[in-house]
């Protein structure tokens, strides 16, 4: 027994090393579990405020760009207004709203890691919940991972574990959009069967088959594609419409009917 | 007292510098310098091993809290702080070591300091990138990324040692 104690004291720095590495590994692999929720509510508020100050400053440098995108977006919305249509029969008896949009500002964002996250300046107090989708005018940003009272952290589309159901606009062929980690401007579209006709420049949109994103949000366009021998699916590379390094304002999507959809799904799966 | 304050100030400065400035720098989607590791590189030689390890852990953890990668940076920095005494003993013999207080270009001479920083930065970056990616089929892609950001980090470390080494 004495020998063991002497051994430990003699090699105390080595044991400290092992201990600290174990703690780190524990954090790495438990990132999704309980202490995460504790961590998010206590620490995120502090980190959130620091990021907010920093983004308040850097926001000034992007004002011009932001104004331009907002103006473009306004023009698009104006063209959708009631008086822009010759015949307006939108107010049918079956007309019902499904998606609500909540605007938010990005206060921290990375694009240079393999797994990227963003932080937004709105949280639980603004009605944001876990698993809501986040989009911008010309692209999908990600999915809300955690919320605290005033902030929410979002898994970026530039993340190894996020896969989004996407479709080719012209023929509605469904595939899965992923990020391969090479460049933040490009991604890959998988599971498009080889019998489908595609060409460079085809637009990729969200499919609307998940409960998170509505159909038809533009994501990117095909930059190149090839067929590997013996495979049934294309290898498609796409270019995102959005420069994820430059966005500053986003919309969080609240799917009002999500609960109903999920209930129905579980019901039919259980039978 | 003054000495400790300096290092504590440097500790926080490096964390914020990394988070607010360096993490926003990006060249062609590959290069992102992890400059904060210089804190471990330039701690005095006489720093006890346990203090090295603890400060490495706190530094990495500080970065982790801000970048949503809980434990990732901490793991890499603790590894670097564990390897530091080993590398120093390998590169410099004991007699010379007695005259050296702080690792730097002046005290180590350029080539030794270059190799010393290179090895530790490589350890740090490769652990960080492979741990982040964790995919075998992205092996080479991760390799280029880790290598290129090691080079940039090394350049920054050498440059800042040239510029600021007199002050601490």
């Amino acid at each position: 027994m004495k020998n063991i104690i002497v051994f430990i004291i003699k090699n105390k720095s080595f044991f400290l090393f092992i201990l600290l590495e174990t703690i780190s590994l524990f954090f790495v692999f438990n990132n999704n579990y309980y202490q995460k929720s504790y961590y998010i509510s206590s620490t995120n508020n502090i980190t959130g405020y620091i990021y907010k100050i920093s983004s308040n400053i850097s926001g000034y440098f992007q004002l011009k760009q932001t104004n331009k995108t907002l103006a473009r977006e306004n023009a698009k919305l104006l063209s959708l207004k009631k008086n822009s249509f010759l015949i307006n029969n939108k107010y049918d008896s079956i007309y019902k709203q499904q998606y609500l949009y909540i605007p938010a500002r990005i206060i921290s964002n990375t694009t240079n890691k393999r797994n990227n996250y963003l932080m937004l300046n709105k949280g639980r107090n603004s009605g944001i919940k876990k698993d809501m989708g986040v989009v911008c005018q010309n692209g999908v940003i990600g999915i809300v991972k955690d919320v605290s009272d005033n902030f929410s952290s979002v898994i970026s589309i530039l993340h190894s574990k996020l896969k989004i159901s996407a479709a080719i606009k012209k023929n509605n062929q469904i595939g899965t959009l992923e990020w391969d980690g090479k460049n933040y401007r490009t991604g890959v579209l998988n599971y498009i069967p080889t019998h489908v006709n595609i060409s460079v420049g085809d637009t990729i949109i969200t499919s609307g088959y998940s409960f998170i994103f509505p159909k038809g949000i533009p994501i990117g366009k095909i930059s190149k594609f090839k067929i590997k021998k013996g495979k049934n699916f294309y290898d498609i590379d796409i270019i995102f419409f959005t420069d994820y390094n430059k966005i500053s304002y986003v919309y969080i999507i609240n799917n009002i009917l999500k609960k109903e959809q999920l209930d129905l799904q579980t019901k039919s799966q259980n039978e | 007292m003054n000495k400790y304050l300096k290092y504590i100030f440097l500790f926080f400065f490096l964390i914020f510098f990394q988070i607010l400035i360096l993490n926003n720098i990006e060249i062609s989607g590959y290069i992102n310098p992890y400059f904060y590791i210089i804190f471990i590189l330039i701690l005095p030689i006489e720093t006890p091993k346990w203090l090295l390890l603890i400060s490495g852990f706190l530094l990495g953890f500080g970065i982790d809290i801000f970048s949503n990668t809980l434990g990732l940076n901490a793991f890499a920095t603790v590894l670097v702080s564990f390897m530091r005494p080993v590398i120093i003993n390998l590169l410099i013999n004991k007699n010379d070591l007695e005259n050296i207080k702080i690792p730097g270009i002046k005290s180590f001479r350029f080539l030794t300091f270059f190799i010393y920083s290179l090895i530790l930065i490589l350890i740090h970056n490769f652990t960080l990138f492979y741990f982040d990616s964790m995919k075998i089929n992205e092996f080479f892609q991760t390799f280029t990324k880790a290598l290129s950001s090691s080079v940039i980090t090394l350049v920054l470390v050498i440059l800042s040692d040239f510029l600021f080494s007199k002050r601490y």
Side-chain angles (χ1 to χ4, degrees):
Chain A
M1 190 62 204
K2 204 188 151 195
N3 282 341
I4 294 173
I5 294 170
V6 169
F7 177 73
I8 290 178
I9 290 174
K10 219 176 163 188
N11 293 301
K12 60 176 188 294
S13 65
F14 181 73
F15 283 102
L16 183 66
F17 167 67
I18 298 292
L19 176 76
L20 291 176
E21 292 294 55
T22 320
I23 295 172
S24 309
L25 284 181
F26 178 79
F27 277 125
V28 170
F29 292 110
N30 285 290
N31 207 357
N32 297 320
Y33 293 106
Y34 69 100
Q35 79 272 47
K36 181 73 189 174
S37 58
Y38 171 75
Y39 150 81
I40 216 81
S41 53
S42 56
T43 335
N44 245 17
N45 274 335
I46 305 166
T47 55
Y49 284 115
I50 290 169
Y51 276 130
K52 204 167 143 189
I53 295 166
S54 140
S55 99
N56 275 344
I57 297 165
S58 59
Y60 283 107
F61 299 106
Q62 293 166 350
L63 275 182
K64 205 173 163 190
Q65 179 67 28
T66 313
N67 278 338
K68 223 189 261 171
T69 28
L70 284 178
R72 211 181 301 140
E73 216 170 322
N74 270 338
K76 207 168 147 192
L77 289 176
L78 278 176
S79 66
L80 291 176
K81 259 177 79 177
K82 204 171 143 191
N83 53 14
S84 316
F85 292 92
L86 189 62
I87 303 162
N88 177 34
N89 54 3
K90 208 167 107 190
Y91 293 101
D92 201 306
S93 60
I94 56 164
Y95 174 75
K96 188 167 183 184
Q97 183 153 28
Q98 185 180 3
Y99 297 101
L100 285 177
Y101 290 76
I102 307 162
R105 202 179 77 205
I106 295 173
I107 54 173
S108 94
N109 180 17
T110 59
T111 53
N112 48 30
K113 306 219 164 62
R114 182 62 185 92
N115 300 311
N116 293 292
Y117 296 88
L118 305 104
M119 200 184 279
L120 307 180
N121 71 340
K122 284 194 179 159
R124 203 178 290 126
N125 291 348
S126 314
I128 290 160
K129 289 189 196 108
K130 201 175 174 252
D131 292 334
M132 282 182 178
V134 183
V135 296
C136 62
Q137 190 204 359
N138 250 335
V140 169
I141 306 284
I143 292 170
V144 175
K145 182 179 173 236
D146 289 296
V147 281
S148 64
D149 283 347
N150 298 309
F151 302 101
S152 49
S153 91
V154 176
I155 301 185
S156 168
I157 193 171
L158 309 175
H159 191 291
S160 61
K161 290 196 179 99
L162 195 67
K163 288 168 187 163
I164 284 171
S165 173
I168 296 171
K169 196 178 180 182
K170 71 173 183 193
N171 52 20
N172 245 342
Q173 197 67 41
I174 307 294
T176 308
L177 180 78
E178 282 176 61
W179 187 53
D180 54 357
K182 279 181 191 140
N183 186 330
Y184 72 96
R185 300 301 307 270
T186 61
V188 288
L189 185 64
N190 294 326
Y191 307 117
I192 300 287
T194 47
H195 65 78
V196 179
N197 263 333
I198 59 173
S199 51
V200 170
D202 284 354
T203 308
I204 312 290
I205 55 173
T206 52
S207 69
Y209 284 6
S210 66
F211 304 144
I212 295 170
F213 298 108
K215 190 185 159 126
I217 296 172
I219 298 174
K221 61 181 183 207
I222 296 178
S223 62
K224 65 174 185 236
F225 63 91
K226 61 175 182 236
I227 306 171
K228 268 196 188 148
K229 253 187 191 170
K231 274 198 170 176
N232 297 329
F233 301 112
Y234 284 110
D235 279 0
I236 304 177
D237 286 352
I238 68 158
I239 293 182
F240 295 124
F241 286 135
T242 313
D243 182 344
Y244 288 106
N245 220 0
K246 288 205 178 110
I247 36 173
S248 46
Y249 286 88
V250 294
Y251 300 99
I252 298 152
I253 300 177
N254 182 4
N255 181 358
I256 307 166
L257 304 180
K258 187 177 176 181
K259 199 174 168 293
E260 189 182 325
Q261 285 175 308
L262 278 174
D263 284 349
L264 185 64
Q265 192 190 40
T266 38
K267 201 177 151 195
S268 51
Q269 274 172 356
N270 287 344
E271 271 166 16
Chain B
M1 181 59 206
N2 201 1
K3 203 171 71 181
Y4 294 115
L5 263 182
K6 237 184 242 171
Y7 281 103
I8 290 169
F9 172 76
L10 187 67
F11 178 88
F12 286 107
F13 171 76
L14 283 175
I15 288 186
F16 287 116
F17 187 62
Q18 180 71 41
I19 294 300
L20 298 177
I21 295 170
L22 290 183
N23 275 0
N24 295 321
I25 289 178
E26 153 146 9
I27 306 157
S28 72
Y30 272 101
I31 299 164
N32 182 224
Y34 288 94
F35 179 65
Y36 70 92
I37 197 65
I38 196 178
F39 185 75
I40 304 295
L41 298 184
I42 56 157
L43 279 177
I45 297 281
E46 75 222 11
T47 318
K49 281 180 185 173
W50 64 268
L51 188 59
L52 262 181
L53 289 168
I54 295 280
S55 49
F57 182 76
L58 290 179
L59 181 69
F61 204 72
I63 300 281
D64 280 334
I65 285 175
F66 283 97
S67 46
N68 234 322
T69 51
L70 218 53
L72 188 73
N73 284 285
F75 185 87
T77 39
V78 169
L79 189 63
V80 169
S81 8
F82 182 74
M83 291 305 285
R84 192 187 104 133
V86 181
I87 305 288
I88 288 182
N89 282 336
L90 275 178
L91 288 174
I92 299 163
N93 60 27
K94 283 226 166 92
N95 298 334
D96 288 349
L97 205 58
E98 278 169 13
N99 305 323
I100 298 173
K101 276 183 184 156
I102 298 163
I105 293 173
K106 262 189 190 156
S107 52
F108 271 26
R109 289 214 200 79
F110 183 78
L111 191 66
T112 326
F113 185 71
F114 183 84
I115 295 169
Y116 161 80
S117 325
L118 178 71
I119 295 172
L120 290 180
I121 288 171
L122 283 178
I123 292 172
H124 181 248
N125 276 277
F126 274 83
T127 354
L128 210 59
F129 277 85
Y130 276 106
F131 226 161
D132 195 18
S133 152
M134 288 223 234
K135 279 187 175 172
I136 292 293
N137 59 357
E138 288 171 7
F139 184 86
F140 292 106
Q141 187 187 322
T142 316
F143 190 87
T144 17
K145 277 190 183 183
L147 200 65
S148 48
S149 41
S150 302
V151 170
I152 291 290
T153 312
L154 184 68
V155 169
L156 281 179
V157 165
I158 300 281
L159 268 181
S160 57
D161 199 80
F162 261 123
L163 291 173
F164 302 109
S165 61
K166 280 169 209 156
R167 288 182 208 166
Y168 42 72

